[in-house]
Amino acid sequence: MIIFKAAVFAASIGLASAAVAQEAYELNEIELAAIKRSVSLQLKDPDSVKFGPIKAVPYPGVQEGVVLACGLVNAKNGFGGYAGETPFVGVLATYRQTAQAEFVLREIGGAETDSAAIISYCKSQGIR
């Protein structure tokens, strides 16, 4: 388990570095659930969360089972209204022996420039 957490941490640290675009990675239900759980916990109203598309690519230069995931989320803000689809990015690692998945959220867009930077980064990694 320590190796698993180290892989997630290493992949998370390297997220900001440039990498070669990868082939698409198809997320399974366990992986999608881990991503949704992690993102939901960071929002003001986790029960109101609506997810848009979530896409992933293998994380370059890291062992098998670690992927970069990008997606869209919409949730209620502090005023009770939906804020609109907001991009997010993070690293997902799946532990082979137990098939458990853990998602480390790097960033959720907020201000217009933050959202644009996340979308641009995801596109540069081959996530469209």
Side-chain angles (χ1 to χ4, degrees):
M1 190 67 164
I2 292 174
I3 293 171
F4 172 69
K5 294 214 183 252
V8 172
F9 180 73
S12 178
I13 296 295
L15 187 59
S17 65
V20 178
Q22 300 287 314
E23 292 289 323
Y25 174 88
E26 190 165 334
L27 296 162
N28 64 39
E29 292 302 316
I30 293 170
E31 293 165 332
L32 282 169
I35 292 169
K36 290 176 179 181
R37 182 175 49 254
S38 178
V39 172
S40 295
L41 290 173
Q42 298 303 311
L43 301 170
K44 288 185 186 245
D45 186 354
D47 296 328
S48 72
V49 176
K50 297 178 183 179
F51 284 90
I54 300 172
K55 298 181 180 179
V57 294
Y59 200 86
V62 180
Q63 69 190 32
E64 183 181 333
V66 180
V67 299
L68 174 70
C70 297
L72 295 172
V73 63
N74 190 3
K76 290 184 179 179
N77 58 24
F79 299 106
Y82 279 92
E85 286 192 328
T86 304
F88 66 87
V89 61
V91 177
L92 174 78
T94 303
Y95 191 60
R96 287 183 228 165
Q97 293 176 331
T98 63
Q100 288 182 316
E102 183 175 342
F103 184 69
V104 178
L105 181 67
R106 276 301 283 159
E107 189 169 353
I108 295 179
E112 199 64 38
T113 54
D114 294 337
S115 293
I118 293 170
I119 291 168
S120 177
Y121 176 75
C122 291
K123 284 182 178 180
S124 76
Q125 300 305 305
I127 298 175
R128 309 238 178 254

